[in-house]
Amino acid sequence: MRPFRYERANDVSGAVALLAGTPNGAFLGGGTNLVDLMRLDVARPELLVDVRRLTSDRIEELPDGRVRVGAAVPNSDLAADPLIRARYPAVSEALLSGASGQLRNLATTGGNLLQRTRCVYFQNVSTPCNKRDPGAGCSAIDGHHWDLAILGASEACVATHPSDLAVALVALDAVVLTEGADGERRIPITELHRLPDREPHRDTILQHGELITAVELPPLPWATRSRYRKVRDRASYAFALVSAVVVLDTADGVVRDVRIGLGGVAHRPWRALVAEQALRGGPATEERFRQAAEAELAAARPLPGNAFKVRLARNTLVRTLLDVNEGRR
Amino acid sequence: MTITPRAMGVAVDRFDGAAKVRGEARYAYEQPVDRPLYLYPLTAAVATGRIADIDCGAASAEPGVVAVLTYRNATRTAAIEDGELRILQSDEVAFRGQFIGGVVAETSEIARHAVSLVRVDYEERPHDVELREGRGDLRVPREVQPIFPMDTAEGDVDAALASAPVRVDQTYTTAWNNHNPIEPHTTIATWTGDRFTFYLSTQGVNGIQAAVAALFELGPDRVRVISPYVGGAFGSKARPHADVVLAALAARLVPDRPVKFALTRQQMFSQVGYRPPTVQRVRLGADAGGRLVALAHESIEPTSKLQEFAEHSTRATPTMYAAPNRRTRQRLAALDVPTPTIMRAPGEASGMFALESAMDEMAIACGLDPIEFRIRNDAQRHPHFGLPFSSRNLVACLREGARRFGWDGRDPTPGIRRTAGWLVGTGVAAATYPVLRLPGSMATIRVGPDERYTVLIAAADIGTGTWTALSQVAADALGVRVEQIDLRIGDTAYPKASNEGGSSGITSWGSAICEAADRLRDELARHGGAVPADGLEVTAAMPENPHISRYAMHAFGAQFAEVRVHAEIGEVRVRRQLGVFAVGRVVNPKTARSQLLGGMTMGLSMALHEQSVFDPRFAQVVTQDLATYHIASNADVGAVEVHWIDEDDPYVNPMGTKGVGEIGIVGAAAAIANAVHHATGVRVRDLPITLDKLLPAA
Ligand SMILES: Cc1cc2nc3c(=O)[nH]c(=O)nc-3n(C[C@H](O)[C@H](O)[C@H](O)COP(=O)(O)OP(=O)(O)OC[C@H]3O[C@@H](n4cnc5c(N)ncnc54)[C@H](O)[C@@H]3O)c2cc1C
Ligand code: SF4
């Protein structure tokens, strides 16, 4: 672990300014990801700006029905919040399926979205990695494929985004509020995370020193009919091999509207627009669900060691659609 | 020769339980020492080659750095046989991750940071790390325990196989598994004047003492090793590894200052051994009546070029079933990899996965119930040695297990039971483990006029409850109450003890204590039955057991599992595990149950999860943390039932015990794999059973 400075700014603009002036600095949330990466020598910030007291740790309902979640809200609080559980149960399920109770107590909403990939080569400084060290090469493409992407990858990087929460949020069209050197922004979460293309070292479109202050969930009355289904290597305490979130609105056996997110399949939490399109207005049947899943995954380009994930993602999505449709939890 | 059980058989709470739960038990790394320094290792970044240059300038200049250790300034150690321990003696690199130096500093953070400032240039050589069946250089391992030959043969296996009406010929593989005790390997080493003092976490203080004494060419009396508590071990702490040597070399550079060294979780994956992967071919031939006529079991595994180790996965096979024509073969490939080592039931855990999966396949091929098939082929005498068993209750375990599990009426048809989208199946497998006794243990017993008995033996309690159970043995050996016993272990200041390993602790140390108790009784008799005012003290060594040449001594068991497999997604959930064991006398039902239950849980973990992914390009395990090397979580473990049958074995040792530490893992993976087959119709022959192997193809 390298020596670093630790600071606590007094206000958001101060924090942003502090970091803007330190190219090699980072915001610190719960530290459950960043501090691990520092120990592993993957992250080498010379300055940490603790932002937990800067942003809100409250969940509030706005007059127009939006729900605003402060960036400092711990994952455990967000999962347990009655409003979230009632209106957006998939958010709660996604959070509770992740990490452990202790980690969720520490982890923040902002930090969760910006956690870095669990690609084993990224986390091991003795193996080349374009994300860690641009231009060094990707060790994963010819290596251990188990956790890697099947959608949207590039020759430079085939890593996946590990957050469960983010998958639920992309399906719900959440908006991320930020403040940076250039002022405030409202970023649809579907645009926050990037595909790797030729710049895998950039996980998101955020600028250096741009602080996440809150996440907003738009009103979506039918989001009560939703489910987060996570498939992993063991029953608990593991990242998603594949996960699916489904929000479904049906009437008389016909899909009125649907939102689908997939996790563990790409460099970003995957919004399954093709499948949604295929389902809207059609009958809510297993056959249609399967066709929609296959349409979404037609673009999949798996590696030899994770070809099974295409079938796994399809079956998981179909099963989740069926479960939500049939009202099974 | 047997002792009367009074304290034995009672579920005494472990003496150290409360202190451990409260955090008051001080483990090796937590021992208070004066002005400690901290060591962080420098590890090789290539798999093979030599160090062309090391630049320690920046590291040495870092404030707080006290010494930088490399092969250039390390003490020359003796050329002992164990190459794993001969670190920092030259510029050669034998495997990736091998210790090639270290930094000693005032804080662990400084040490770790300074290591990142050391620049090493290598002349890299191509490495050879891939285990393949067709390699021309496979060799027969050296025999470690001559009573279990590496290769065995009887009759004409090939002819019997060729003419057998029913045949099974399959290859099974097990994965590279790493030990992950909660407490990593930790050491505090101090070099003062002309002697070493170590606090460390080990399964045997005398083994460490002997290795360090040999390496540094010191008399054993100049190496004191204290191991107060051990936070789990599973075999990785049985033999000394390079971490102890690195700490000792560092201590030599900074006399009088204690050097503290704890491995990181990542380092645990390359420094302390592992269960090597195996490729095992099993061939079985049976007659029309479901009797085995031929049995061949062959295994190949990797070892390192530094030090040979064989996971003797065919070891249990000649003990299990009566087949007139038998062959076992064990082969090794020496590779540029870290040295494997013993891990809970080394040999049996991996070998019985293969054999007991094949037995299930054969039972199905013969149209027989797998329990009935095993009973038909149960051996009456030891098939290889021809000796009677001191006691053999495999059949009793299978029957009792079947009754408790609800096996009767099981429909053998695979893939037909379904509940809410999950396929349901049940499986069974046999378990066995030899009764081992390791030579070299001694015990001292002291008694004062207050009738308190101090028992000294350098034994180890690695979290198993042995300290408590051994006190119960001592109480019965002396015919006194447990409260009168003050048993002390884990220190080379006490009489020498064999390593904790091979489930041999109670047998070896208990036998020494019984012998000392006998002597003490003789002494007391000589003093007219009363303890003299200045007390009495006797020391005795573990005696020979005359029955060893007359009987084959083994524990047996039966493992049952009920699994559910998600029909569309392939996830496996083990709803129930049930084990029935015949392990001789159970000294402490509470701690013994925990051992068996822990073994079964570890077997579940081996079946479904544990797999170190070795990347041949980097010659390194890349899943080197607990987020990528999965161990069964609480949610993976269903209802686990542990039972044993009453077994009175007067031959094994004075206590009548057979050891409980390892047999719980044996057969557990096969029972689960067999249940998965029953549930789905898919036979998974490669561990771990991950969901990709069960995901429907279409
Ligand atoms: C063993 C283990 C298992 C886990 N399992 C799961 C799992 O199953 N599913 C899952 O989803 N997650 C899992 N996690 C990850 C966990 O959810 C994340 O570590 C956590 O959510 C990160 O939040 P944090 O506040 O601790 O972030 P930090 O570690 O503090 O920060 C993470 C990143 O976000 C940046 N950052 C933090 N706050 C802000 C802000 N307000 N604005 C801008 N940048 C910010 C930091 O600079 C850093 O780059 C696991 C973690 C561990 C250690
Ligand atoms: S997949 Fe991405 S993160 Fe992993 S090694 Fe390649 S570049 Fe690095």
Side-chain angles (χ1 to χ4, degrees):
Chain A
M1 196 163 197
R2 289 158 201 266
F4 61 90
R5 283 185 296 129
Y6 170 89
E7 302 228 14
R8 228 184 248 159
N10 296 321
D11 51 38
V12 171
S13 54
V16 169
L18 204 55
L19 216 56
T22 316
N24 190 16
F27 292 130
L28 177 70
T32 59
N33 185 224
L34 181 55
V35 176
D36 276 5
L37 292 176
M38 288 167 68
R39 286 209 184 92
L40 295 171
D41 212 24
V42 172
R44 303 169 178 184
E46 62 190 64
L47 170 69
L48 289 186
V49 181
D50 192 329
V51 297
R52 269 170 304 182
R53 295 190 200 164
L54 279 190
T55 53
S56 165
D57 62 358
R58 306 249 318 274
I59 299 164
E60 46 188 337
E61 187 179 0
L62 305 183
D64 61 2
R66 281 177 293 161
V67 174
R68 184 179 289 166
V69 180
V73 171
N75 289 177
S76 45
D77 289 12
L78 185 57
D81 188 78
L83 197 62
I84 297 293
R85 289 176 50 163
R87 295 206 192 153
Y88 311 101
V91 169
S92 185
E93 286 176 8
L95 282 163
L96 292 176
S97 75
S100 65
Q102 295 92 328
L103 284 160
R104 293 194 297 267
N105 284 341
L106 263 181
T108 62
T109 305
N112 187 309
L113 301 182
L114 300 187
Q115 61 174 297
R116 309 215 61 193
T117 184
R118 308 302 290 200
C119 171
V120 295
Y121 304 97
F122 170 74
Q123 297 187 84
N124 180 345
V125 291
S126 77
T127 53
C129 166
N130 285 327
K131 187 180 276 299
R132 209 180 54 233
D133 186 6
C138 169
S139 297
I141 288 184
D142 294 319
H144 176 44
H145 293 159
W146 196 251
D147 299 309
L148 301 180
I150 54 172
L151 286 164
S154 71
E155 304 216 318
C157 179
V158 284
T160 52
H161 193 265
S163 167
D164 292 301
L165 171 64
V167 181
L169 295 182
V170 293
L172 293 166
D173 277 325
V175 177
V176 176
L177 278 58
T178 70
E179 190 169 335
D182 301 334
E184 296 179 17
R185 286 212 272 178
R186 296 177 58 85
I187 306 170
I189 190 162
T190 47
E191 290 168 23
L192 177 71
H193 298 93
R194 299 178 63 256
L195 287 180
D197 58 56
R198 261 171 285 160
E199 294 184 307
H201 60 284
R202 290 177 54 217
D203 290 356
T204 68
I205 61 158
L206 295 184
Q207 302 295 317
H208 173 72
E210 189 169 354
L211 180 73
I212 296 181
T213 54
V215 173
E216 276 181 12
L217 287 156
L220 192 67
W222 47 280
T224 50
R225 274 188 82 199
S226 64
R227 183 174 182 198
Y228 187 74
R229 172 69 156 97
K230 180 170 173 180
V231 181
R232 43 189 150 172
D233 289 328
R234 58 181 169 191
S236 168
Y237 204 18
F239 288 91
L241 207 44
V242 159
S243 67
V245 62
V246 167
V247 188
L248 185 65
D249 184 19
T250 55
D252 305 325
V254 172
V255 176
R256 275 209 302 230
D257 206 349
V258 61
R259 304 283 175 77
I260 299 171
L262 294 174
V265 294
H267 193 260
R268 67 178 186 211
W270 193 261
R271 177 73 181 266
L273 292 172
V274 177
E276 290 178 13
Q277 192 53 42
L279 287 170
R280 255 182 225 112
T285 59
E286 177 163 358
E287 198 194 334
R288 284 299 280 263
F289 292 165
R290 196 177 163 104
Q291 285 165 356
E294 277 170 356
E296 185 69 48
L297 291 159
R301 298 286 173 273
L303 295 156
N306 68 2
F308 72 95
K309 282 177 78 170
V310 181
R311 268 178 297 140
L312 181 63
R314 180 197 64 195
N315 292 4
T316 305
L317 177 53
V318 173
R319 174 47 41 207
T320 314
L321 281 160
L322 285 168
D323 284 351
V324 176
N325 190 41
E326 290 156 24
R328 258 196 302 271
R329 285 240 64 85
Chain B
M1 131 160 213
T2 47
I3 59 175
T4 311
R6 292 193 187 86
M8 289 196 296
V10 179
V12 179
D13 285 345
R14 49 180 81 205
F15 301 156
D16 46 356
K20 283 182 173 169
V21 171
R22 291 194 195 107
E24 287 164 0
R26 277 208 179 111
Y27 289 79
Y29 197 77
E30 300 160 341
Q31 294 296 313
V33 289
D34 210 23
R35 297 202 310 137
L37 292 169
Y38 296 83
L39 169 65
Y40 195 83
L42 176 66
T43 54
V46 300
T48 43
R50 58 173 289 275
I51 298 164
D53 193 23
I54 297 194
D55 179 358
C56 305
S60 307
E62 198 61 17
V65 169
V66 177
V68 181
L69 175 66
T70 69
Y71 74 93
R72 290 179 182 152
N73 62 352
T75 309
R76 292 298 93 165
T77 55
I80 63 165
E81 197 198 317
D82 187 346
E84 192 188 348
L85 303 182
R86 298 218 58 225
I87 54 167
L88 273 57
Q89 299 304 302
S90 75
D91 54 7
E92 283 293 309
V93 172
F95 66 91
R96 184 166 172 134
Q98 188 180 28
F99 291 146
I100 55 169
V103 171
V104 183
E106 297 289 346
T107 70
S108 61
E109 290 81 6
I110 295 172
R112 190 167 183 170
H113 174 55
V115 161
S116 71
L117 303 177
V118 178
R119 241 205 41 249
V120 187
D121 296 325
Y122 301 92
E123 271 168 27
E124 198 173 348
R125 286 194 297 266
H127 54 261
D128 171 16
V129 295
E130 281 178 271
L131 177 70
R132 288 184 318 273
E133 248 159 315
R135 285 182 72 107
D137 59 350
L138 296 176
R139 66 176 196 227
V140 188
R142 197 163 34 87
E143 314 241 303
V144 269
Q145 281 150 325
I147 56 159
F148 293 109
M150 282 294 166
D151 284 5
T152 66
E154 172 131 355
D156 189 341
V157 176
D158 298 322
L161 276 171
S163 62
V166 195
R167 281 185 294 245
V168 164
D169 179 354
Q170 293 293 352
T171 297
Y172 305 85
T173 65
T174 58
W176 177 316
N177 284 179
N178 275 89
H179 314 75
N180 275 291
I182 289 184
E183 182 204 27
H185 287 229
T186 61
T187 306
I188 305 178
T190 315
W191 173 252
T192 325
D194 60 355
R195 58 193 62 227
F196 276 118
T197 307
F198 292 93
Y199 289 101
L200 36 81
S201 183
T202 177
Q203 290 171 244
V205 288
N206 294 111
I208 302 280
Q209 179 189 46
V212 172
L215 272 171
F216 291 87
E217 297 175 283
L218 301 168
D221 55 319
R222 283 161 60 191
V223 182
R224 168 98 181 262
V225 182
I226 304 164
S227 182
Y229 296 97
V230 179
F234 307 116
S236 66
K237 296 172 184 170
R239 298 180 179 175
H241 297 288
D243 58 322
V244 177
V245 183
L246 192 71
L249 289 171
R252 287 292 290 258
L253 286 186
V254 291
D256 299 321
R257 294 207 56 188
V259 173
K260 298 183 83 164
F261 183 29
L263 292 188
T264 63
R265 188 57 63 183
Q266 285 80 9
Q267 288 157 2
M268 291 285 289
F269 284 81
S270 56
Q271 297 305 331
V272 299
Y274 52 95
R275 189 196 300 283
T278 65
V279 180
Q280 303 178 53
R281 182 172 178 199
V282 182
R283 277 172 288 177
L284 302 176
D287 65 18
R291 282 195 177 72
L292 289 173
V293 293
L295 190 175
H297 187 178
E298 289 150 20
S299 180
I300 67 167
E301 298 145 21
T303 185
S304 80
K305 288 184 180 158
L306 284 175
Q307 171 71 5
E308 181 174 302
F309 173 82
E311 166 96 0
H312 196 170
S313 40
T314 57
R315 178 167 84 168
T317 302
T319 302
M320 289 305 297
Y321 300 111
N325 303 288
R326 290 183 324 273
R327 178 167 69 221
T328 63
R329 272 161 53 122
Q330 196 68 39
R331 293 294 176 271
L332 288 180
L335 306 178
D336 297 314
V337 295
T339 308
T341 194
I342 43 191
M343 182 167 175
R344 203 172 200 166
E348 281 76 10
S350 47
M352 288 290 276
F353 164 68
L355 180 64
E356 290 301 294
S357 295
M359 286 296 283
D360 200 61
E361 299 201 51
M362 188 49 130
I364 293 168
C366 291
L368 283 174
D369 176 79
I371 293 181
E372 173 56 28
F373 177 60
R374 285 180 174 83
I375 291 173
R376 275 189 204 182
N377 289 288
D378 187 43
Q380 301 306 313
R381 297 174 80 84
H382 193 285
H384 180 70
F385 297 114
L387 296 171
F389 287 93
S390 62
S391 54
R392 177 177 173 116
N393 281 301
L394 173 58
V395 171
C397 290
L398 286 164
R399 291 219 160 100
E400 175 71 356
R403 185 182 71 75
R404 289 179 178 273
F405 190 76
W407 186 267
D408 273 5
R410 172 186 184 263
D411 181 345
T413 317
I416 56 166
R417 289 149 300 271
R418 205 183 246 264
T419 160
W422 295 77
L423 297 163
V424 182
T426 52
V428 65
T432 189
Y433 199 78
V435 182
L436 299 176
R437 45 196 288 131
L438 300 178
S441 290
M442 321 240 308
T444 293
I445 305 182
R446 259 183 231 145
V447 60
D450 60 354
E451 303 256 321
R452 290 199 57 79
Y453 295 80
T454 306
V455 183
L456 306 176
I457 181 164
D461 181 336
I462 60 172
T464 52
T466 301
W467 186 34
T468 310
L470 209 52
S471 300
Q472 293 172 261
V473 168
D476 285 349
L478 290 159
V480 303
R481 287 173 297 114
V482 184
E483 295 74 33
Q484 289 170 267
I485 304 289
D486 174 12
L487 182 90
R488 300 191 196 163
I489 58 172
D491 191 336
T492 51
Y494 306 143
K496 187 166 165 229
S498 54
N499 270 356
E500 205 282 355
S503 300
S504 69
I506 295 285
T507 293
S508 311
W509 310 327
S511 298
I513 289 172
C514 288
E515 183 70 8
D518 275 351
R519 300 266 179 89
L520 186 72
R521 251 192 303 277
D522 294 348
E523 277 295 302
L524 268 174
R526 214 164 300 146
H527 285 83
V531 181
D534 54 352
L536 282 177
E537 176 177 316
V538 299
T539 298
M542 178 183 80
E544 294 291 312
N545 179 354
H547 302 299
I548 280 192
S549 54
R550 296 201 281 271
Y551 295 98
M553 300 179 181
H554 299 263
F556 291 92
Q559 303 257 14
F560 293 77
E562 178 188 330
V563 306
R564 297 200 169 179
V565 179
H566 197 287
E568 297 141 30
I569 295 176
E571 296 151 301
V572 182
R573 299 285 183 262
V574 179
R575 296 268 329 284
R576 286 200 289 153
Q577 281 176 283
L578 183 146
V580 179
F581 301 94
V583 288
R585 180 183 311 289
V586 169
V587 174
N588 183 327
K590 195 168 192 174
T591 55
R593 180 177 177 279
S594 296
Q595 280 306 299
L596 295 166
L597 183 135
M600 290 168 71
T601 307
M602 204 163 166
L604 178 155
S605 202
M606 174 183 177
L608 301 186
H609 309 301
E610 294 192 43
Q611 176 177 33
S612 300
V613 177
F614 186 82
D615 187 325
R617 298 166 306 160
F618 302 108
Q620 190 179 32
V621 170
V622 292
T623 50
Q624 45 170 337
D625 61 29
L626 294 178
T628 46
Y629 181 85
H630 288 130
I631 293 173
S633 70
N634 222 351
D636 289 290
V637 183
V640 188
E641 270 187 57
V642 180
H643 303 282
W644 47 79
I645 59 167
D646 285 333
E647 190 176 61
D648 188 7
D649 190 324
Y651 305 114
V652 280
N653 56 44
M655 294 74 62
T657 61
K658 288 183 168 181
V660 295
E662 289 166 278
I663 192 168
I665 192 175
V666 182
I672 291 170
N674 295 342
V676 165
H677 175 265
H678 188 230
T680 61
V682 179
R683 175 66 63 180
V684 181
R685 300 189 183 89
D686 305 295
L687 294 185
I689 306 170
T690 43
L691 53 75
D692 55 317
K693 296 168 186 163
L694 298 168
L695 197 60

